[in-house]
Amino acid sequence: MFAGGEDGNGHLPRPRRPRRVGGMGSPPGQAASALPHPAPPPCTDYDMAYFKAYSHIGVHEEMLKDHVRTNTYRNAIMHHKDLISGKVVLDVGCGTGVLSIFCAFAGATRVYAVDASDIALQAMEIVRENELSDKVIVLHGRIEDVEIEEKVDVIISEWMGYMLLYESMLGSVIFARDKWLKPGGLILPSHASLYLAPITNSHRYQDSIYFWRDVYGIKMSCMMPLAKQCTFMEPSVETISGENVLTWPTVVAQVDCYTIQAPDLETITAAYKFTSMLQAPLHGFAFWFDVEFNGPVRQKFKKQASQPLDVNMQNSNPSNKKKKADVSIVLSTAPEDAPTHWQQTLLYLFEPIELKKDQIMEGSVTISQSQQHARFLNICLKYFTGDQWYVKESVMR
């Protein structure tokens, strides 16, 4: 959770690497057609703090050491080598330039690597060290502000934040798509799904809340209400296992990167209905996501599957997503899969609810961009179980 430094769980900030003012260098190529395009959004103080956080080498070290993330991107690039070789690629939020270099290795004629943070200066050196300066052009600036004088065949970006949509970098990918991508071009990743499931996690409550009952023989139970407020007010980014999950997840949102528009991201609402598979305390709800790397030829099928972001879907077996015939490569952050630096995002209840096996939980979740700053997320979770309604509201900042 980004707030200009480490988040409340001790993680380095996971902002993305879009934007800043002014491109450097003169990209070669043919001039793009002068089509009307919305004016770029203003660069706020929040944006500048966000970009500054991405200048920290530790953020990029964490991402590069995430082997699930990095190897899946490399595999996806090589899987689509026939659509990348000899083509022009745009890397939105390039960071150290690793994805741009993978595209160069796949035979791209030219790669525009764009990043707003000062890590772009290091990316230039990395490109030079790998003798790819003739292919990879690093532009230090916001994607909304840089100048690229040709259309591109491929857009690649690692835009996903915690809970998929935190940081709102997908808007920058949409901007780049609408301005530079050729008709029928390739976007990697192409599709994404956000999931929600109820969880039990007694260990977390024991460590953070029940700890106060007896501290070195001193009774401190009076601290427990404050501990709950401080620990569970905001979403928590941590790793859980499949054993913590009480039901099959439900799909909160599906994203088709070929067709989605920025206003679709402002508010997402989904209804859900869960049936507990065991008797256990309900401690909260977990969010996770996966992204798919499909080519544009599969776009028609996915548009039918995606529909709008306001969804009302039944519970889904998470294994189904990997059995779809049209899915080529999937990067998953699910609890039952290999851990990634995204982990899972947990929304804890202040008071656990004792669930019986086969007990029904139903309600809705609304995720909206904060009015304070679009990179923050407001989360409103309504749930009904045991003949009582509850509401949990939180802000991911």
Side-chain angles (χ1 to χ4, degrees):
M1 294 174 289
F2 176 57
E6 288 193 349
D7 67 26
N9 302 298
H11 298 90
L12 285 167
R14 179 71 172 103
R16 287 289 30 36
R17 12 177 150 87
R19 331 171 178 197
R20 189 147 117 195
V21 177
M24 294 184 176
S26 300
Q30 300 175 352
S33 57
L35 296 175
H37 200 78
C43 187
T44 67
D45 290 341
Y46 285 108
D47 290 322
M48 295 306 293
Y50 169 80
F51 306 143
K52 185 176 181 180
Y54 265 105
S55 300
H56 194 294
I57 191 173
V59 177
H60 300 279
E61 180 181 355
E62 181 187 28
M63 291 188 288
L64 292 171
K65 286 181 176 177
D66 183 341
H67 300 293
V68 174
R69 163 200 179 268
T70 308
N71 282 329
T72 303
Y73 266 87
R74 179 171 59 182
N75 292 341
I77 289 167
M78 295 307 169
H79 181 84
H80 293 288
K81 186 176 180 179
D82 59 327
L83 298 176
I84 295 174
S85 181
K87 301 298 178 63
V88 179
V89 178
L90 173 58
D91 182 355
V92 180
C94 67
T96 55
V98 62
L99 302 186
S100 296
I101 292 173
F102 287 161
C103 289
F105 289 165
T109 299
R110 187 159 45 257
V111 182
Y112 294 98
V114 182
D115 203 294
S117 80
D118 288 345
I119 201 67
L121 305 177
Q122 301 302 316
M124 294 176 189
E125 295 299 321
I126 293 169
V127 168
R128 189 175 298 115
E129 184 177 357
N130 286 273
E131 300 180 351
L132 289 171
S133 298
D134 60 329
K135 284 192 172 185
V136 180
I137 302 163
V138 180
L139 302 177
H140 184 194
R142 292 201 311 165
I143 191 66
E144 292 86 348
D145 298 324
V146 299
E147 294 182 4
I148 299 174
E149 297 181 351
E150 62 179 324
K151 294 291 186 177
V152 303
D153 304 281
V154 180
I155 290 177
I156 190 165
S157 179
E158 199 271 78
W159 53 265
M160 301 83 70
Y162 295 131
M163 220 172 93
L164 184 65
L165 299 173
Y166 174 60
E167 303 168 14
S168 299
M169 189 182 166
L170 181 54
S172 295
V173 176
I174 293 170
F175 182 97
R177 176 200 70 193
D178 293 346
K179 187 170 185 179
W180 287 297
L181 187 65
K182 293 178 182 177
L186 174 67
I187 304 177
L188 297 177
S190 58
H191 302 85
S193 299
L194 177 64
Y195 299 91
L196 170 71
I199 59 100
T200 186
N201 195 354
S202 297
H203 180 74
R204 181 76 158 92
Y205 260 74
Q206 185 63 47
D207 280 355
S208 301
I209 308 302
Y210 302 144
F211 156 79
W212 294 101
R213 289 174 172 170
D214 185 336
V215 183
Y216 297 98
I218 302 170
K219 297 177 181 178
M220 293 191 182
S221 295
C222 61
M223 293 287 289
M224 289 173 58
L226 178 61
K228 291 175 183 178
Q229 288 292 325
C230 293
T231 307
F232 298 146
M233 178 64 73
E234 295 186 351
S236 177
V237 177
E238 56 189 86
T239 297
I240 59 173
S241 71
E243 295 178 352
N244 295 109
V245 182
L246 292 170
T247 73
W248 293 120
T250 192
V251 178
V252 173
Q254 291 183 305
V255 174
D256 183 334
C257 293
Y258 291 106
T259 61
I260 191 170
Q261 299 298 322
D264 298 333
L265 301 171
E266 293 175 0
T267 301
I268 299 166
T269 299
Y272 62 81
K273 186 174 183 180
F274 297 115
T275 302
S276 180
M277 295 188 293
L278 65 158
Q279 180 173 332
L282 170 68
H283 288 116
F285 294 81
F287 294 88
W288 64 84
F289 65 88
D290 60 36
V291 294
E292 304 168 8
F293 295 82
N294 299 324
V297 294
R298 301 179 175 94
Q299 182 177 346
K300 182 177 179 181
F301 176 89
K302 293 304 298 183
K303 276 199 290 187
Q304 293 172 346
S306 299
Q307 298 303 325
L309 274 176
D310 286 321
V311 294
N312 184 352
M313 306 188 70
Q314 298 297 318
N315 295 352
S316 59
N317 185 329
S319 64
N320 288 344
K321 65 181 179 289
K322 298 180 183 179
K323 296 177 182 177
K324 297 175 186 175
D326 70 311
V327 173
S328 51
I329 294 177
V330 175
L331 169 56
S332 173
T333 66
E336 73 270 15
D337 289 321
T340 71
H341 77 282
W342 285 285
Q343 303 176 280
Q344 290 83 42
T345 300
L346 277 66
L347 205 61
Y348 282 103
L349 311 183
F350 292 125
E351 298 293 340
I353 299 172
E354 292 296 329
L355 294 181
K356 299 177 182 178
K357 187 177 184 298
D358 297 326
Q359 185 168 332
I360 302 295
M361 292 164 283
E362 58 185 321
S364 65
V365 59
T366 299
I367 303 169
S368 58
Q369 294 177 352
S370 171
Q371 294 297 313
Q372 179 186 12
H373 181 42
R375 296 191 190 278
F376 301 164
L377 293 178
N378 294 325
I379 307 166
C380 180
L381 187 68
K382 298 179 181 179
Y383 52 104
F384 177 81
T385 189
D387 299 324
Q388 187 171 349
W389 275 100
Y390 303 86
V391 178
K392 171 73 176 185
E393 293 184 318
S394 191
V395 181
M396 195 164 196
R397 65 182 90 229

